[in-house]
């Protein structure tokens, strides 16, 4: 009597985590590849509006687990299913959703459309190189070729974009906040910054000269939350000699005028002094520590977007 084998059901996509941190997504892809197979999905085209920026990733494993976002949560399960098909066939694929897509039942709330490049990983060397550079607080880049179905690491481009048929993605280290102050405001900023996924380093009075060379890099925001100018002097001077993308200091407009006078007397140029955001924060004045913390972190997030759009 002939016997036939029942077809093996395809895995059901299931979200493994809610992270959208690129480094965590690349680690997930590396681990999944080591366990069997993995695919990296990348947002490579936006038509109209979109919830994510070019270069946003999802990573999928052969067992159906996935993480990351390429939209606002409305197409991710479909992208994960397409990634499973790509892994099963062993071929990359380009998929459209929303405007211009053959999937009429999947509509993006923003009314636009997106294209997703799904790459079946053949090796993870390029991804590990990106992680190594990010671990060293350096920017990194990947080039994906749809024609060759390859992914290679490169020096980071200025921005994520298409060029000559290849898609270039830039990765930058997560925001670091160097926080100086022992006030209740400093405690609130440190808690909220840590909860937001930032790297937080707290420094005390007089430690400014010892931090600049080691920890204040172009992806660092320096936050000074002291109630007297002498307490902030050392770290403020170190910050002004650093490549920090944001320098903010607590105090009123009157206090800042005194700060400017002191720095001018010390020989700092007007352009250098102009880097200081004071009074600190995006909105104000505030009258409680939590509101100040929200104001400071919103200002840092906005400044980061401007610096690395």
């Amino acid at each position: 009597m002939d016997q036939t084998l029942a077809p093996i059901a395809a895995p059901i996509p299931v979200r493994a985590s809610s992270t959208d941190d690129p480094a965590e997504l690349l680690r997930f892809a590396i681990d999944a590849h080591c366990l069997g197979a993995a695919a990296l999905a990348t947002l490579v085209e936006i038509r109209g509006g979109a919830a994510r920026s070019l270069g946003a990733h999802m990573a999928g494993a052969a067992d159906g687990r996935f993480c990351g976002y390429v939209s606002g949560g409305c197409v991710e399960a479909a992208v994960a299913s397409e990634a499973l098909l790509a892994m099963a066939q062993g071929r990359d694929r380009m998929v459209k959703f929303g405007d211009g897509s053959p999937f009429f039942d999947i509509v993006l709330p923003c009314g636009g459309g997106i294209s997703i490049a799904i790459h079946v990983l053949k090796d993870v060397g390029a991804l590990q190189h990106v992680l190594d550079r990010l671990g060293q607080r350096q920017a990194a880049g990947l080039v994906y070729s749809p024609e060759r179905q390859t992914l290679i690491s490169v020096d980071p481009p200025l921005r994520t974009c298409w060029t000559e048929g290849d898609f270039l993605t830039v990765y930058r280290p997560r925001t670091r906040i160097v926080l100086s102050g022992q006030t209740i405001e400093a405690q609130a900023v440190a808690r909220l910054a840590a909860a937001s996924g930032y790297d937080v380093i707290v420094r005390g009075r007089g430690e400014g000269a010892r931090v600049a060379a080691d920890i204040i890099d172009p992806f660092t925001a320096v936050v000074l939350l002291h109630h007297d100018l002498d307490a902030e002097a050392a770290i403020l001077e170190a910050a002004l000699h650093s490549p920090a993308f944001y320098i903010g200091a607590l105090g009123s407009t009157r206090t800042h005028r005194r700060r400017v006078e002191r720095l001018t007397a010390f020989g700092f140029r007007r352009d250098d002094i102009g880097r200081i955001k004071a009074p600190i924060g995006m909105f104000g004045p505030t009258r409680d520590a939590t509101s100040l913390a929200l104001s400071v972190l919103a200002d840092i997030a906005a400044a980061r977007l401007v610096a690395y759009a």
Side-chain angles (χ1 to χ4, degrees), residues 12-278:
I12 297 175
V14 57
R15 179 170 289 282
S17 76
S18 59
T19 183
D20 62 357
D21 181 284
E24 293 186 27
L25 301 180
L26 297 184
R27 290 190 193 98
F28 179 93
I30 291 173
D31 291 343
H33 177 79
C34 293
L35 292 174
L40 187 67
T42 306
L43 174 58
V44 298
E45 182 188 23
I46 297 172
R47 301 179 297 281
R52 298 279 162 166
S53 59
L54 285 177
H57 284 315
M58 282 179 57
D63 61 6
R65 293 176 300 119
F66 71 92
C67 59
Y69 295 87
V70 292
S71 185
C74 51
V75 302
E76 276 69 17
V79 173
S81 294
E82 293 291 326
L84 287 170
L85 288 174
M87 284 183 275
Q89 297 171 356
R91 296 195 304 272
D92 293 3
R93 57 201 300 140
M94 189 78 67
V95 188
K96 293 183 178 182
F97 296 96
D99 182 43
S101 168
F103 300 105
F104 298 108
D105 57 334
I106 301 178
V107 179
L108 275 62
C110 58
I114 57 176
S115 295
I116 309 297
I118 300 175
H119 172 61
V120 180
L121 291 174
K122 301 175 182 64
D123 63 74
V124 295
L127 304 191
Q128 188 60 56
H129 182 73
V130 170
L131 290 180
D132 291 344
R133 287 186 64 94
L134 292 178
Q136 298 165 8
R137 301 283 300 171
Q138 298 175 357
L142 287 178
V143 172
Y144 171 64
S145 170
E147 180 180 355
R148 296 183 295 274
Q149 300 193 14
T150 56
L151 192 64
I152 61 173
S153 59
V154 295
D155 289 334
L158 294 177
R159 61 187 180 88
T160 296
C161 63
W162 282 96
T163 178
E164 297 181 355
D166 294 336
F167 189 77
L168 282 65
T169 305
V170 59
Y171 304 85
R172 298 184 179 94
R174 69 174 61 190
T175 299
R176 168 177 287 167
I177 295 180
V178 173
L179 176 61
S180 179
Q182 296 177 331
T183 59
I184 185 174
E185 294 90 351
Q187 295 170 20
V189 171
R191 287 196 304 269
L192 190 56
S196 301
Y198 295 148
D199 291 332
V200 182
I201 298 176
V202 179
R203 284 292 182 264
R205 180 171 180 162
E207 293 185 283
R210 297 200 297 273
V211 303
D214 295 333
I215 63 175
I216 303 181
D217 59 27
F219 310 101
T220 298
V222 180
V223 176
L224 310 175
L225 298 177
H226 297 276
H227 287 294
D228 70 87
L229 296 181
D230 289 335
E232 72 177 26
I235 194 166
L236 177 56
E237 292 180 25
L240 290 174
H241 286 113
S242 79
F245 75 89
Y246 179 93
I247 303 171
L250 188 67
S252 65
T253 301
R254 180 184 302 176
T255 299
H256 188 56
R257 282 199 295 267
R258 291 174 47 217
R259 180 183 290 119
V260 170
E261 291 170 359
R262 288 167 59 111
L263 291 171
T264 302
F266 291 153
F268 283 93
R269 299 176 304 171
R270 180 178 299 179
D271 289 347
D272 293 328
I273 298 172
R275 295 174 61 197
I276 305 170
K277 179 64 178 293

